Amino acid sequence: MSEPISIDIWSDIACPWCYIGKRNLETGLAAVAADDDAPKVEVTFHSFELSPDTPVDFDGDEIDFLAGHKGMPREQVEGMLANVTGIAKNAGLEYRFDLLKHTNTVKAHELLHHAKANDLQHAMEERLMSAYFTEGKHVGRIDDLVELAVEVGLDADEARAALESDRHLPAVRQDQAQARAYGIQGVPFFVIDGQYGISGAQPPETFENVLRDLWAKRGETDATQSESEEAAV
């Protein structure tokens, strides 16, 4: 039986392309799941902070932030946001940059590691991204994060204790160190089986092709090993 294909994703919940990339990956996974010999896949999310110096309560909207952060005219930022909103819609996501509350995301990353320890990382990742990009919820303050944690099935007191103690901050920093070791400078970034890198919000077909190719090679390797074992008997 072939080992599952590992997909390690470096992302930030405040990265619009990361949510699109996540959804495109899910679409690709759904497509290959229908194959007669469907690939087995294990997906793990890793922390990456795009703007670690951002205050928890940023005074301004997303246009203010990007105009200041990237030094672009407001009209150019508006056009950029309109473009990504359209691409998100094609992926089935309704972005609301007019509602978005820009914030520091380190506590959200800590919460994701807490959720991972409780086998709820995928649900927590989806809830945080949806809250941030489509609902205009604040995802930088502990009280708000605890509310979201409870929605996916985490215990409120345990989540609060984890966030207030910085228990998972070392894991966040370890993810970031690994990203630097890989040379990752932008997200989303997908590492397949620890050896193949895919950068950006690629279309579902990209993931389908890579997964099918790797799974076929796994099958060939397994068959060769089986033949060798039979010959040795």
Side-chain angles (χ1 to χ4, degrees), residues 186-210:
V187 288
F189 196 92
F190 304 81
V191 177
I192 315 296
D193 263 359
Q195 52 186 324
Y196 303 102
I198 298 178
S199 178
Q202 299 294 327
E205 295 77 17
T206 297
F207 298 110
E208 293 177 41
N209 294 336
V210 170

mmCIF file with all atom_site columns, all heavy atoms in Angstrom, residues 186-210:
data_model
loop_
_atom_site.group_PDB
_atom_site.id
_atom_site.type_symbol
_atom_site.label_atom_id
_atom_site.label_alt_id
_atom_site.label_comp_id
_atom_site.label_asym_id
_atom_site.label_entity_id
_atom_site.label_seq_id
_atom_site.pdbx_PDB_ins_code
_atom_site.Cartn_x
_atom_site.Cartn_y
_atom_site.Cartn_z
_atom_site.occupancy
_atom_site.B_iso_or_equiv
_atom_site.pdbx_formal_charge
_atom_site.auth_seq_id
_atom_site.auth_comp_id
_atom_site.auth_asym_id
_atom_site.auth_atom_id
_atom_site.pdbx_PDB_model_num
ATOM 1   N N   . GLY A 1 186 ? 7.298  34.147 -0.879  1.00 0.00 ? 186 GLY A N   1
ATOM 2   C CA  . GLY A 1 186 ? 5.907  34.532 -1.079  1.00 0.00 ? 186 GLY A CA  1
ATOM 3   C C   . GLY A 1 186 ? 5.003  33.336 -0.906  1.00 0.00 ? 186 GLY A C   1
ATOM 4   O O   . GLY A 1 186 ? 5.437  32.182 -1.024  1.00 0.00 ? 186 GLY A O   1
ATOM 5   N N   . VAL A 1 187 ? 3.752  33.608 -0.596  1.00 0.00 ? 187 VAL A N   1
ATOM 6   C CA  . VAL A 1 187 ? 2.790  32.529 -0.376  1.00 0.00 ? 187 VAL A CA  1
ATOM 7   C C   . VAL A 1 187 ? 1.523  32.792 -1.194  1.00 0.00 ? 187 VAL A C   1
ATOM 8   O O   . VAL A 1 187 ? 1.247  33.939 -1.566  1.00 0.00 ? 187 VAL A O   1
ATOM 9   C CB  . VAL A 1 187 ? 2.442  32.401 1.133   1.00 0.00 ? 187 VAL A CB  1
ATOM 10  C CG1 . VAL A 1 187 ? 3.611  31.821 1.893   1.00 0.00 ? 187 VAL A CG1 1
ATOM 11  C CG2 . VAL A 1 187 ? 2.023  33.740 1.746   1.00 0.00 ? 187 VAL A CG2 1
ATOM 12  N N   . PRO A 1 188 ? 0.757  31.705 -1.493  1.00 0.00 ? 188 PRO A N   1
ATOM 13  C CA  . PRO A 1 188 ? 0.928  30.341 -0.999  1.00 0.00 ? 188 PRO A CA  1
ATOM 14  C C   . PRO A 1 188 ? 2.100  29.627 -1.674  1.00 0.00 ? 188 PRO A C   1
ATOM 15  O O   . PRO A 1 188 ? 2.434  29.907 -2.819  1.00 0.00 ? 188 PRO A O   1
ATOM 16  C CB  . PRO A 1 188 ? -0.391 29.663 -1.376  1.00 0.00 ? 188 PRO A CB  1
ATOM 17  C CG  . PRO A 1 188 ? -0.812 30.369 -2.624  1.00 0.00 ? 188 PRO A CG  1
ATOM 18  C CD  . PRO A 1 188 ? -0.421 31.803 -2.396  1.00 0.00 ? 188 PRO A CD  1
ATOM 19  N N   . PHE A 1 189 ? 2.693  28.710 -0.931  1.00 0.00 ? 189 PHE A N   1
ATOM 20  C CA  . PHE A 1 189 ? 3.754  27.873 -1.463  1.00 0.00 ? 189 PHE A CA  1
ATOM 21  C C   . PHE A 1 189 ? 3.480  26.441 -1.026  1.00 0.00 ? 189 PHE A C   1
ATOM 22  O O   . PHE A 1 189 ? 3.314  26.167 0.159   1.00 0.00 ? 189 PHE A O   1
ATOM 23  C CB  . PHE A 1 189 ? 5.123  28.327 -0.978  1.00 0.00 ? 189 PHE A CB  1
ATOM 24  C CG  . PHE A 1 189 ? 6.259  27.751 -1.773  1.00 0.00 ? 189 PHE A CG  1
ATOM 25  C CD1 . PHE A 1 189 ? 6.765  28.436 -2.859  1.00 0.00 ? 189 PHE A CD1 1
ATOM 26  C CD2 . PHE A 1 189 ? 6.799  26.517 -1.448  1.00 0.00 ? 189 PHE A CD2 1
ATOM 27  C CE1 . PHE A 1 189 ? 7.807  27.903 -3.619  1.00 0.00 ? 189 PHE A CE1 1
ATOM 28  C CE2 . PHE A 1 189 ? 7.839  25.969 -2.196  1.00 0.00 ? 189 PHE A CE2 1
ATOM 29  C CZ  . PHE A 1 189 ? 8.347  26.660 -3.281  1.00 0.00 ? 189 PHE A CZ  1
ATOM 30  N N   . PHE A 1 190 ? 3.424  25.548 -1.996  1.00 0.00 ? 190 PHE A N   1
ATOM 31  C CA  . PHE A 1 190 ? 3.077  24.151 -1.744  1.00 0.00 ? 190 PHE A CA  1
ATOM 32  C C   . PHE A 1 190 ? 4.324  23.289 -1.931  1.00 0.00 ? 190 PHE A C   1
ATOM 33  O O   . PHE A 1 190 ? 4.978  23.357 -2.974  1.00 0.00 ? 190 PHE A O   1
ATOM 34  C CB  . PHE A 1 190 ? 2.001  23.671 -2.720  1.00 0.00 ? 190 PHE A CB  1
ATOM 35  C CG  . PHE A 1 190 ? 0.752  24.515 -2.717  1.00 0.00 ? 190 PHE A CG  1
ATOM 36  C CD1 . PHE A 1 190 ? 0.699  25.713 -3.421  1.00 0.00 ? 190 PHE A CD1 1
ATOM 37  C CD2 . PHE A 1 190 ? -0.384 24.110 -2.022  1.00 0.00 ? 190 PHE A CD2 1
ATOM 38  C CE1 . PHE A 1 190 ? -0.453 26.497 -3.432  1.00 0.00 ? 190 PHE A CE1 1
ATOM 39  C CE2 . PHE A 1 190 ? -1.535 24.878 -2.021  1.00 0.00 ? 190 PHE A CE2 1
ATOM 40  C CZ  . PHE A 1 190 ? -1.570 26.071 -2.725  1.00 0.00 ? 190 PHE A CZ  1
ATOM 41  N N   . VAL A 1 191 ? 4.653  22.484 -0.933  1.00 0.00 ? 191 VAL A N   1
ATOM 42  C CA  . VAL A 1 191 ? 5.760  21.536 -1.037  1.00 0.00 ? 191 VAL A CA  1
ATOM 43  C C   . VAL A 1 191 ? 5.156  20.135 -1.087  1.00 0.00 ? 191 VAL A C   1
ATOM 44  O O   . VAL A 1 191 ? 4.505  19.694 -0.143  1.00 0.00 ? 191 VAL A O   1
ATOM 45  C CB  . VAL A 1 191 ? 6.740  21.667 0.143   1.00 0.00 ? 191 VAL A CB  1
ATOM 46  C CG1 . VAL A 1 191 ? 7.840  20.616 0.030   1.00 0.00 ? 191 VAL A CG1 1
ATOM 47  C CG2 . VAL A 1 191 ? 7.350  23.068 0.179   1.00 0.00 ? 191 VAL A CG2 1
ATOM 48  N N   . ILE A 1 192 ? 5.363  19.473 -2.218  1.00 0.00 ? 192 ILE A N   1
ATOM 49  C CA  . ILE A 1 192 ? 4.774  18.151 -2.440  1.00 0.00 ? 192 ILE A CA  1
ATOM 50  C C   . ILE A 1 192 ? 5.816  17.075 -2.160  1.00 0.00 ? 192 ILE A C   1
ATOM 51  O O   . ILE A 1 192 ? 6.886  17.053 -2.777  1.00 0.00 ? 192 ILE A O   1
ATOM 52  C CB  . ILE A 1 192 ? 4.264  18.001 -3.892  1.00 0.00 ? 192 ILE A CB  1
ATOM 53  C CG1 . ILE A 1 192 ? 3.490  19.250 -4.341  1.00 0.00 ? 192 ILE A CG1 1
ATOM 54  C CG2 . ILE A 1 192 ? 3.411  16.749 -4.025  1.00 0.00 ? 192 ILE A CG2 1
ATOM 55  C CD1 . ILE A 1 192 ? 2.224  19.511 -3.585  1.00 0.00 ? 192 ILE A CD1 1
ATOM 56  N N   . ASP A 1 193 ? 5.492  16.199 -1.228  1.00 0.00 ? 193 ASP A N   1
ATOM 57  C CA  . ASP A 1 193 ? 6.386  15.094 -0.862  1.00 0.00 ? 193 ASP A CA  1
ATOM 58  C C   . ASP A 1 193 ? 7.783  15.568 -0.453  1.00 0.00 ? 193 ASP A C   1
ATOM 59  O O   . ASP A 1 193 ? 8.760  14.848 -0.623  1.00 0.00 ? 193 ASP A O   1
ATOM 60  C CB  . ASP A 1 193 ? 6.498  14.094 -2.021  1.00 0.00 ? 193 ASP A CB  1
ATOM 61  C CG  . ASP A 1 193 ? 5.554  12.907 -1.834  1.00 0.00 ? 193 ASP A CG  1
ATOM 62  O OD1 . ASP A 1 193 ? 4.848  12.856 -0.812  1.00 0.00 ? 193 ASP A OD1 1
ATOM 63  O OD2 . ASP A 1 193 ? 5.518  12.031 -2.716  1.00 0.00 ? 193 ASP A OD2 1
ATOM 64  N N   . GLY A 1 194 ? 7.855  16.799 0.066   1.00 0.00 ? 194 GLY A N   1
ATOM 65  C CA  . GLY A 1 194 ? 9.123  17.303 0.563   1.00 0.00 ? 194 GLY A CA  1
ATOM 66  C C   . GLY A 1 194 ? 10.147 17.606 -0.504  1.00 0.00 ? 194 GLY A C   1
ATOM 67  O O   . GLY A 1 194 ? 11.307 17.908 -0.181  1.00 0.00 ? 194 GLY A O   1
ATOM 68  N N   . GLN A 1 195 ? 9.743  17.566 -1.783  1.00 0.00 ? 195 GLN A N   1
ATOM 69  C CA  . GLN A 1 195 ? 10.747 17.755 -2.832  1.00 0.00 ? 195 GLN A CA  1
ATOM 70  C C   . GLN A 1 195 ? 10.287 18.586 -4.026  1.00 0.00 ? 195 GLN A C   1
ATOM 71  O O   . GLN A 1 195 ? 11.118 19.140 -4.749  1.00 0.00 ? 195 GLN A O   1
ATOM 72  C CB  . GLN A 1 195 ? 11.228 16.394 -3.342  1.00 0.00 ? 195 GLN A CB  1
ATOM 73  C CG  . GLN A 1 195 ? 10.119 15.450 -3.759  1.00 0.00 ? 195 GLN A CG  1
ATOM 74  C CD  . GLN A 1 195 ? 10.642 14.075 -4.125  1.00 0.00 ? 195 GLN A CD  1
ATOM 75  O OE1 . GLN A 1 195 ? 11.715 13.943 -4.692  1.00 0.00 ? 195 GLN A OE1 1
ATOM 76  N NE2 . GLN A 1 195 ? 9.878  13.034 -3.809  1.00 0.00 ? 195 GLN A NE2 1
ATOM 77  N N   . TYR A 1 196 ? 8.980  18.710 -4.234  1.00 0.00 ? 196 TYR A N   1
ATOM 78  C CA  . TYR A 1 196 ? 8.483  19.494 -5.362  1.00 0.00 ? 196 TYR A CA  1
ATOM 79  C C   . TYR A 1 196 ? 7.792  20.758 -4.850  1.00 0.00 ? 196 TYR A C   1
ATOM 80  O O   . TYR A 1 196 ? 6.900  20.677 -4.014  1.00 0.00 ? 196 TYR A O   1
ATOM 81  C CB  . TYR A 1 196 ? 7.499  18.676 -6.206  1.00 0.00 ? 196 TYR A CB  1
ATOM 82  C CG  . TYR A 1 196 ? 8.063  17.384 -6.734  1.00 0.00 ? 196 TYR A CG  1
ATOM 83  C CD1 . TYR A 1 196 ? 7.748  16.168 -6.121  1.00 0.00 ? 196 TYR A CD1 1
ATOM 84  C CD2 . TYR A 1 196 ? 8.925  17.372 -7.837  1.00 0.00 ? 196 TYR A CD2 1
ATOM 85  C CE1 . TYR A 1 196 ? 8.271  14.973 -6.598  1.00 0.00 ? 196 TYR A CE1 1
ATOM 86  C CE2 . TYR A 1 196 ? 9.451  16.186 -8.309  1.00 0.00 ? 196 TYR A CE2 1
ATOM 87  C CZ  . TYR A 1 196 ? 9.130  14.983 -7.695  1.00 0.00 ? 196 TYR A CZ  1
ATOM 88  O OH  . TYR A 1 196 ? 9.654  13.807 -8.156  1.00 0.00 ? 196 TYR A OH  1
ATOM 89  N N   . GLY A 1 197 ? 8.213  21.909 -5.354  1.00 0.00 ? 197 GLY A N   1
ATOM 90  C CA  . GLY A 1 197 ? 7.622  23.165 -4.923  1.00 0.00 ? 197 GLY A CA  1
ATOM 91  C C   . GLY A 1 197 ? 6.691  23.743 -5.967  1.00 0.00 ? 197 GLY A C   1
ATOM 92  O O   . GLY A 1 197 ? 7.021  23.762 -7.161  1.00 0.00 ? 197 GLY A O   1
ATOM 93  N N   . ILE A 1 198 ? 5.524  24.208 -5.525  1.00 0.00 ? 198 ILE A N   1
ATOM 94  C CA  . ILE A 1 198 ? 4.566  24.886 -6.401  1.00 0.00 ? 198 ILE A CA  1
ATOM 95  C C   . ILE A 1 198 ? 4.260  26.229 -5.768  1.00 0.00 ? 198 ILE A C   1
ATOM 96  O O   . ILE A 1 198 ? 3.784  26.299 -4.635  1.00 0.00 ? 198 ILE A O   1
ATOM 97  C CB  . ILE A 1 198 ? 3.265  24.071 -6.575  1.00 0.00 ? 198 ILE A CB  1
ATOM 98  C CG1 . ILE A 1 198 ? 3.566  22.729 -7.230  1.00 0.00 ? 198 ILE A CG1 1
ATOM 99  C CG2 . ILE A 1 198 ? 2.251  24.861 -7.402  1.00 0.00 ? 198 ILE A CG2 1
ATOM 100 C CD1 . ILE A 1 198 ? 2.328  21.843 -7.380  1.00 0.00 ? 198 ILE A CD1 1
ATOM 101 N N   . SER A 1 199 ? 4.523  27.300 -6.513  1.00 0.00 ? 199 SER A N   1
ATOM 102 C CA  . SER A 1 199 ? 4.343  28.639 -5.980  1.00 0.00 ? 199 SER A CA  1
ATOM 103 C C   . SER A 1 199 ? 3.091  29.292 -6.552  1.00 0.00 ? 199 SER A C   1
ATOM 104 O O   . SER A 1 199 ? 2.801  29.167 -7.745  1.00 0.00 ? 199 SER A O   1
ATOM 105 C CB  . SER A 1 199 ? 5.567  29.499 -6.313  1.00 0.00 ? 199 SER A CB  1
ATOM 106 O OG  . SER A 1 199 ? 5.412  30.820 -5.854  1.00 0.00 ? 199 SER A OG  1
ATOM 107 N N   . GLY A 1 200 ? 2.342  29.972 -5.676  1.00 0.00 ? 200 GLY A N   1
ATOM 108 C CA  . GLY A 1 200 ? 1.199  30.743 -6.133  1.00 0.00 ? 200 GLY A CA  1
ATOM 109 C C   . GLY A 1 200 ? -0.106 29.976 -6.162  1.00 0.00 ? 200 GLY A C   1
ATOM 110 O O   . GLY A 1 200 ? -0.154 28.767 -5.930  1.00 0.00 ? 200 GLY A O   1
ATOM 111 N N   . ALA A 1 201 ? -1.188 30.720 -6.456  1.00 0.00 ? 201 ALA A N   1
ATOM 112 C CA  . ALA A 1 201 ? -2.534 30.132 -6.505  1.00 0.00 ? 201 ALA A CA  1
ATOM 113 C C   . ALA A 1 201 ? -2.755 29.483 -7.859  1.00 0.00 ? 201 ALA A C   1
ATOM 114 O O   . ALA A 1 201 ? -3.434 30.027 -8.732  1.00 0.00 ? 201 ALA A O   1
ATOM 115 C CB  . ALA A 1 201 ? -3.587 31.205 -6.227  1.00 0.00 ? 201 ALA A CB  1
ATOM 116 N N   . GLN A 1 202 ? -2.159 28.321 -8.039  1.00 0.00 ? 202 GLN A N   1
ATOM 117 C CA  . GLN A 1 202 ? -2.250 27.619 -9.315  1.00 0.00 ? 202 GLN A CA  1
ATOM 118 C C   . GLN A 1 202 ? -3.665 27.075 -9.549  1.00 0.00 ? 202 GLN A C   1
ATOM 119 O O   . GLN A 1 202 ? -4.406 26.833 -8.597  1.00 0.00 ? 202 GLN A O   1
ATOM 120 C CB  . GLN A 1 202 ? -1.249 26.474 -9.349  1.00 0.00 ? 202 GLN A CB  1
ATOM 121 C CG  . GLN A 1 202 ? 0.200  26.900 -9.222  1.00 0.00 ? 202 GLN A CG  1
ATOM 122 C CD  . GLN A 1 202 ? 0.675  27.717 -10.403 1.00 0.00 ? 202 GLN A CD  1
ATOM 123 O OE1 . GLN A 1 202 ? 0.225  27.503 -11.530 1.00 0.00 ? 202 GLN A OE1 1
ATOM 124 N NE2 . GLN A 1 202 ? 1.559  28.668 -10.151 1.00 0.00 ? 202 GLN A NE2 1
ATOM 125 N N   . PRO A 1 203 ? -4.050 26.872 -10.792 1.00 0.00 ? 203 PRO A N   1
ATOM 126 C CA  . PRO A 1 203 ? -5.375 26.315 -11.083 1.00 0.00 ? 203 PRO A CA  1
ATOM 127 C C   . PRO A 1 203 ? -5.478 24.866 -10.611 1.00 0.00 ? 203 PRO A C   1
ATOM 128 O O   . PRO A 1 203 ? -4.452 24.188 -10.441 1.00 0.00 ? 203 PRO A O   1
ATOM 129 C CB  . PRO A 1 203 ? -5.479 26.417 -12.613 1.00 0.00 ? 203 PRO A CB  1
ATOM 130 C CG  . PRO A 1 203 ? -4.063 26.464 -13.086 1.00 0.00 ? 203 PRO A CG  1
ATOM 131 C CD  . PRO A 1 203 ? -3.301 27.193 -12.023 1.00 0.00 ? 203 PRO A CD  1
ATOM 132 N N   . PRO A 1 204 ? -6.702 24.368 -10.414 1.00 0.00 ? 204 PRO A N   1
ATOM 133 C CA  . PRO A 1 204 ? -6.888 22.997 -9.932  1.00 0.00 ? 204 PRO A CA  1
ATOM 134 C C   . PRO A 1 204 ? -6.164 21.954 -10.782 1.00 0.00 ? 204 PRO A C   1
ATOM 135 O O   . PRO A 1 204 ? -5.653 20.962 -10.253 1.00 0.00 ? 204 PRO A O   1
ATOM 136 C CB  . PRO A 1 204 ? -8.407 22.811 -9.997  1.00 0.00 ? 204 PRO A CB  1
ATOM 137 C CG  . PRO A 1 204 ? -8.963 24.195 -9.853  1.00 0.00 ? 204 PRO A CG  1
ATOM 138 C CD  . PRO A 1 204 ? -7.988 25.083 -10.566 1.00 0.00 ? 204 PRO A CD  1
ATOM 139 N N   . GLU A 1 205 ? -6.114 22.175 -12.103 1.00 0.00 ? 205 GLU A N   1
ATOM 140 C CA  . GLU A 1 205 ? -5.507 21.203 -13.001 1.00 0.00 ? 205 GLU A CA  1
ATOM 141 C C   . GLU A 1 205 ? -4.031 20.973 -12.694 1.00 0.00 ? 205 GLU A C   1
ATOM 142 O O   . GLU A 1 205 ? -3.508 19.868 -12.893 1.00 0.00 ? 205 GLU A O   1
ATOM 143 C CB  . GLU A 1 205 ? -5.664 21.655 -14.456 1.00 0.00 ? 205 GLU A CB  1
ATOM 144 C CG  . GLU A 1 205 ? -7.092 21.708 -14.960 1.00 0.00 ? 205 GLU A CG  1
ATOM 145 C CD  . GLU A 1 205 ? -7.854 22.916 -14.456 1.00 0.00 ? 205 GLU A CD  1
ATOM 146 O OE1 . GLU A 1 205 ? -7.202 23.893 -13.984 1.00 0.00 ? 205 GLU A OE1 1
ATOM 147 O OE2 . GLU A 1 205 ? -9.106 22.900 -14.520 1.00 0.00 ? 205 GLU A OE2 1
ATOM 148 N N   . THR A 1 206 ? -3.358 22.004 -12.210 1.00 0.00 ? 206 THR A N   1
ATOM 149 C CA  . THR A 1 206 ? -1.941 21.853 -11.858 1.00 0.00 ? 206 THR A CA  1
ATOM 150 C C   . THR A 1 206 ? -1.778 20.819 -10.755 1.00 0.00 ? 206 THR A C   1
ATOM 151 O O   . THR A 1 206 ? -0.907 19.935 -10.827 1.00 0.00 ? 206 THR A O   1
ATOM 152 C CB  . THR A 1 206 ? -1.346 23.198 -11.403 1.00 0.00 ? 206 THR A CB  1
ATOM 153 O OG1 . THR A 1 206 ? -1.406 24.128 -12.477 1.00 0.00 ? 206 THR A OG1 1
ATOM 154 C CG2 . THR A 1 206 ? 0.102  23.043 -10.945 1.00 0.00 ? 206 THR A CG2 1
ATOM 155 N N   . PHE A 1 207 ? -2.610 20.913 -9.741  1.00 0.00 ? 207 PHE A N   1
ATOM 156 C CA  . PHE A 1 207 ? -2.534 19.955 -8.633  1.00 0.00 ? 207 PHE A CA  1
ATOM 157 C C   . PHE A 1 207 ? -2.959 18.555 -9.088  1.00 0.00 ? 207 PHE A C   1
ATOM 158 O O   . PHE A 1 207 ? -2.360 17.553 -8.680  1.00 0.00 ? 207 PHE A O   1
ATOM 159 C CB  . PHE A 1 207 ? -3.417 20.432 -7.477  1.00 0.00 ? 207 PHE A CB  1
ATOM 160 C CG  . PHE A 1 207 ? -2.985 21.746 -6.898  1.00 0.00 ? 207 PHE A CG  1
ATOM 161 C CD1 . PHE A 1 207 ? -3.740 22.896 -7.086  1.00 0.00 ? 207 PHE A CD1 1
ATOM 162 C CD2 . PHE A 1 207 ? -1.810 21.847 -6.161  1.00 0.00 ? 207 PHE A CD2 1
ATOM 163 C CE1 . PHE A 1 207 ? -3.343 24.113 -6.561  1.00 0.00 ? 207 PHE A CE1 1
ATOM 164 C CE2 . PHE A 1 207 ? -1.393 23.058 -5.629  1.00 0.00 ? 207 PHE A CE2 1
ATOM 165 C CZ  . PHE A 1 207 ? -2.162 24.204 -5.839  1.00 0.00 ? 207 PHE A CZ  1
ATOM 166 N N   . GLU A 1 208 ? -3.982 18.493 -9.927  1.00 0.00 ? 208 GLU A N   1
ATOM 167 C CA  . GLU A 1 208 ? -4.425 17.195 -10.453 1.00 0.00 ? 208 GLU A CA  1
ATOM 168 C C   . GLU A 1 208 ? -3.280 16.484 -11.167 1.00 0.00 ? 208 GLU A C   1
ATOM 169 O O   . GLU A 1 208 ? -3.012 15.295 -10.924 1.00 0.00 ? 208 GLU A O   1
ATOM 170 C CB  . GLU A 1 208 ? -5.587 17.380 -11.421 1.00 0.00 ? 208 GLU A CB  1
ATOM 171 C CG  . GLU A 1 208 ? -6.880 17.868 -10.797 1.00 0.00 ? 208 GLU A CG  1
ATOM 172 C CD  . GLU A 1 208 ? -7.954 18.096 -11.856 1.00 0.00 ? 208 GLU A CD  1
ATOM 173 O OE1 . GLU A 1 208 ? -8.051 17.257 -12.768 1.00 0.00 ? 208 GLU A OE1 1
ATOM 174 O OE2 . GLU A 1 208 ? -8.664 19.114 -11.781 1.00 0.00 ? 208 GLU A OE2 1
ATOM 175 N N   . ASN A 1 209 ? -2.596 17.207 -12.041 1.00 0.00 ? 209 ASN A N   1
ATOM 176 C CA  . ASN A 1 209 ? -1.529 16.595 -12.838 1.00 0.00 ? 209 ASN A CA  1
ATOM 177 C C   . ASN A 1 209 ? -0.380 16.115 -11.972 1.00 0.00 ? 209 ASN A C   1
ATOM 178 O O   . ASN A 1 209 ? 0.142  15.006 -12.161 1.00 0.00 ? 209 ASN A O   1
ATOM 179 C CB  . ASN A 1 209 ? -1.022 17.592 -13.885 1.00 0.00 ? 209 ASN A CB  1
ATOM 180 C CG  . ASN A 1 209 ? -2.061 17.928 -14.936 1.00 0.00 ? 209 ASN A CG  1
ATOM 181 O OD1 . ASN A 1 209 ? -2.979 17.144 -15.182 1.00 0.00 ? 209 ASN A OD1 1
ATOM 182 N ND2 . ASN A 1 209 ? -1.934 19.096 -15.553 1.00 0.00 ? 209 ASN A ND2 1
ATOM 183 N N   . VAL A 1 210 ? 0.017  16.952 -11.014 1.00 0.00 ? 210 VAL A N   1
ATOM 184 C CA  . VAL A 1 210 ? 1.138  16.579 -10.145 1.00 0.00 ? 210 VAL A CA  1
ATOM 185 C C   . VAL A 1 210 ? 0.786  15.364 -9.296  1.00 0.00 ? 210 VAL A C   1
ATOM 186 O O   . VAL A 1 210 ? 1.573  14.417 -9.170  1.00 0.00 ? 210 VAL A O   1
ATOM 187 C CB  . VAL A 1 210 ? 1.542  17.761 -9.242  1.00 0.00 ? 210 VAL A CB  1
ATOM 188 C CG1 . VAL A 1 210 ? 2.539  17.313 -8.171  1.00 0.00 ? 210 VAL A CG1 1
ATOM 189 C CG2 . VAL A 1 210 ? 2.127  18.885 -10.066 1.00 0.00 ? 210 VAL A CG2 1
#
